[in-house]
Amino acid sequence: MDGLAHQIVAGIATGGIYASVALAIVMIYQATHHVNFAQGEMATLSTFIAWSMVQAGMPYWVAFFGTVVVSFGIGVVVERILIRPVANAPILTMVGVFIGLLLIVGNATGWIFGYTTKVFPTPFTSDKPLFGGLVSAHELGSTVVTLTVLTLVWAFFRFTKLGLAMRAAAYNPRSARLVGIRVGWMLALGWASRRRSARWRG
């Protein structure tokens, strides 16, 4: 029974990571009404950027926030250069763009960082077993981070002026423009923030 309980807890912790990627996919779909097939590869690229910073000697949390900034910039560039020019194109064109982005990001990541498995350090460590050894510090920390991110995302889109503007730009761009919302920038910010929401959990 102890083994079963541990596997359930580990599954919940791992599922939180997949939930973060799924959240990013759903948010992009709500904003653009297109499925970003490259979301996994973009999250992987962000992870490798963070790994490189850690390997270069940066403290874990410095690398974390540094990767947030870099990933945000990459998301804006992708939206401006690849997505915006074909925003009103037929659906098959958008599918081709996203599949092309998947191939480009995936292969570029492998070319730059290699195709071997890398060990990513965790900030959640403990010398003592937690809850009778049923959960590790990493699994507990990962789950807490996932729940915190989900709560912050919900609060951002529910209560902040910027979040409400991004929702308006996604649901009704024409009406949003009439009330002074810069729809283009809202979509670009959405792309950037959704790249970060699918990032690593350690």
Side-chain angles (χ1 to χ4, degrees), residues 89-169:
I91 183 64
L92 289 180
T93 300
M94 295 300 301
V95 170
V97 169
F98 284 122
I99 292 177
L101 183 61
L102 180 155
L103 295 174
I104 292 172
V105 175
N107 286 283
T109 301
W111 177 61
I112 296 171
F113 300 103
Y115 294 94
T116 58
T117 302
K118 306 292 192 301
V119 177
F120 200 102
T122 175
F124 309 110
T125 58
S126 176
D127 297 331
K128 299 179 180 179
L130 303 176
F131 301 101
L134 295 179
V135 59
S136 67
H138 173 76
E139 291 166 347
L140 180 60
S142 177
T143 302
V144 170
V145 168
T146 299
L147 294 176
T148 301
V149 169
L150 293 177
T151 302
L152 291 176
V153 169
W154 172 80
F156 173 77
F157 285 106
R158 181 70 174 82
F159 298 110
T160 69
K161 184 176 180 180
L162 179 59
L164 292 173
M166 292 172 65
R167 288 176 59 188

Side-chain angles (χ1 to χ4, degrees), residues 50 53-54 57-69 120-125 141-142 145 149 199-202:
M53 292 182 179
V54 172
M58 289 187 180
Y60 188 95
W61 293 110
V62 174
F64 177 91
F65 289 108
T67 304
V68 167
V69 173
F120 200 102
T122 175
F124 309 110
T125 58
S142 177
V145 168
V149 169
R199 284 192 63 253
W200 42 281
R201 293 288 178 269

Side-chain angles (χ1 to χ4, degrees), residues 8-26:
I8 292 175
V9 173
I12 293 174
T14 303
I17 299 175
Y18 289 107
S20 298
V21 177
L23 175 64
I25 293 175
V26 171

Side-chain angles (χ1 to χ4, degrees), residues 24 27-28 31 36 39 42 46 67-80 166 184-199:
M27 291 170 66
I28 288 178
N36 180 16
Q39 188 62 54
M42 297 174 74
S46 295
T67 304
V68 167
V69 173
V70 173
S71 298
F72 188 91
I74 294 175
V76 172
V77 170
V78 168
E79 194 277 336
R80 288 282 169 166
M166 292 172 65
W185 273 111
M186 292 301 103
L187 296 179
L189 290 174
W191 255 90
S193 63
R194 284 143 206 169
R195 249 186 72 80
R196 292 179 297 147
S197 68
R199 284 192 63 253

